[in-house]
Amino acid sequence: MKISIHNWMRAETIEDTVNRIAKMGYHSLEIQGSPELYDTKKVKKLLDDAGLTCWGSVTLMLEQRNLLAKDKKQRADSVQYVKDVVRMVSELDGKMVSVVPGTVGKIIPDGRPEEEWEWAVEGMQQIYEYATGNGILIGIEPINRFETYFINRGDQALALAKATGENCGVCLDTFHMNIEETDPLAAIRRAKGRLVGFHVADNNRMAPGMGTIDWKATVETLHEIGYDDVLSVEFSPPLDRTPANPYPNSIDESPVGLSKEQKKFLEDHGSSAVTEEFYSMLTQKSIDTLRPYLS
């Protein structure tokens, strides 16, 4: 099993991210789902030179991106966005893309449950067909009820994956499972044969090892079901703006290169821009916690 990390959690150059994680011993990068930002030939060379690979990407379902939208063109544009993310990952020789079907932060439905299910299946089937043709695995990712009303639990993601295609998978996330699953380890077991990605953050969305999740039991359960691929670090620290903040140097008051889209995505995840010092600590803590369980 290997360890990867997302790069959407801090606004910085891809060069800075790659240099940091290579020095810390990470194996790969799960690149931000913003294909318009990257020249894949340059990124591929950067990763190759650092001895890293691209594991995959995660969709950033913001603004008008919504596979469940009532408007047909909006759904079509959202499908095209995910296809663009798939293309980027394919060009980087990556393996998978995790897909959140609905807009992050949207908690009011556009249509009736049966309508939205039909729209979701239709959109996912188009994405799945394109991804399969490009050799990329798709994992439907459940996220918690405070970020979406659609697909919060592993069983829901499995149902949509089965309706999508024979090899469509799911991507589970320990933070979201901690909120939504009665038994996170049982949820992992039920995903056997369909698990194509696994995101890790602690129960408080800090780095692994800074909360209460039993990482030994979690990784052992992954081995038990035959998942031996990649753990993708995806913390999003809930920043403390009170005098009780245990990390006084955590908030970046003057972030450089933080787009409006990135700012909204971070805020929708209960976080904000973080300083390099704080981010580096979280990145190091993550791999230090997980490394003993890798095999």
Side-chain angles (χ1 to χ4, degrees):
M1 191 174 287
K2 295 184 177 181
I3 187 164
S4 185
I5 190 169
H6 294 254
N7 70 317
W8 62 260
M9 298 95 74
R10 174 175 161 78
E12 62 181 10
T13 67
I14 189 75
E15 289 83 2
D16 286 345
T17 299
V18 167
N19 288 338
R20 179 188 295 106
I21 66 175
K23 290 176 182 176
M24 291 182 180
Y26 282 79
H27 301 104
S28 61
L29 177 70
E30 189 155 338
I31 196 166
Q32 178 176 308
S34 301
E36 73 281 359
L37 296 181
Y38 303 111
D39 179 327
T40 52
K41 289 183 179 179
K42 291 182 179 178
V43 173
K44 182 67 168 61
K45 185 177 186 307
L46 182 68
L47 291 170
D48 288 345
D49 290 346
L52 299 172
T53 60
C54 173
W55 167 237
S57 185
V58 57
T59 58
L60 303 184
M61 301 304 280
L62 301 173
E63 304 294 342
Q64 295 299 305
R65 295 170 187 164
N66 186 8
L67 299 180
L68 320 172
K70 185 178 289 291
D71 183 78
K72 186 174 182 179
K73 184 179 185 304
Q74 186 180 349
R75 296 199 305 273
D77 289 345
S78 301
V79 167
Q80 184 58 54
Y81 159 71
V82 181
K83 287 182 177 180
D84 290 342
V85 175
V86 169
R87 174 185 49 76
M88 172 181 68
V89 171
S90 176
E91 291 175 357
L92 291 171
D93 292 337
K95 303 300 182 185
M96 63 83 65
V97 171
S98 65
V99 178
V100 175
T103 306
V104 175
K106 179 178 171 58
I107 55 174
I108 300 175
D110 275 6
R112 301 188 308 274
E114 59 271 22
E115 287 180 311
E116 292 193 313
W117 185 257
E118 182 180 338
W119 295 333
V121 171
E122 179 184 24
M124 285 304 307
Q125 286 180 338
Q126 293 175 50
I127 292 163
Y128 172 74
E129 181 180 3
Y130 180 80
T132 301
N134 283 273
I136 301 298
L137 295 171
I138 291 294
I140 298 167
E141 181 177 2
I143 63 176
N144 72 79
R145 73 193 78 173
F146 306 110
E147 297 182 48
T148 185
Y149 61 88
F150 189 81
I151 308 295
N152 306 123
R153 295 178 288 105
D155 288 345
Q156 296 169 322
L158 283 168
L160 182 55
K162 290 172 183 176
T164 297
E166 182 180 0
N167 295 314
C168 184
V170 300
C171 176
L172 298 179
D173 184 304
T174 54
F175 169 74
H176 298 297
M177 284 196 293
N178 177 73
I179 295 173
E180 299 294 344
E181 303 288 355
T182 303
D183 183 342
L185 299 184
I188 293 172
R189 292 187 181 101
R190 290 195 297 273
K192 182 178 181 179
R194 290 267 183 176
L195 190 64
V196 299
F198 198 77
H199 295 168
V200 292
D202 227 306
N203 68 294
N204 50 10
R205 219 166 199 177
M206 298 291 276
M210 298 177 75
T212 62
I213 289 178
D214 185 337
W215 293 104
K216 182 175 185 292
T218 298
V219 177
E220 284 178 350
T221 304
L222 291 170
H223 285 306
E224 176 189 323
I225 69 165
Y227 180 85
D228 294 312
D229 289 317
V230 170
L231 305 178
S232 293
V233 172
E234 193 185 22
F235 52 72
S236 183
L239 299 183
D240 190 338
R241 298 183 179 278
T242 76
N245 185 1
Y247 305 103
N249 296 318
S250 59
I251 301 173
D252 190 346
E253 300 289 357
S254 302
V256 176
L258 187 67
S259 68
K260 180 181 178 182
E261 183 181 75
Q262 287 175 305
K263 182 174 185 292
K264 184 180 188 304
F265 196 70
L266 286 171
E267 290 172 348
D268 283 343
H269 283 67
S271 188
S272 184
V274 299
T275 61
E276 183 172 2
E277 175 187 355
F278 186 53
Y279 184 73
S280 292
M281 182 275 288
L282 294 168
T283 305
Q284 186 70 62
K285 178 65 176 177
S286 298
I287 194 166
D288 287 348
T289 298
L290 297 169
R291 187 184 278 121
Y293 308 120
L294 302 182
S295 61

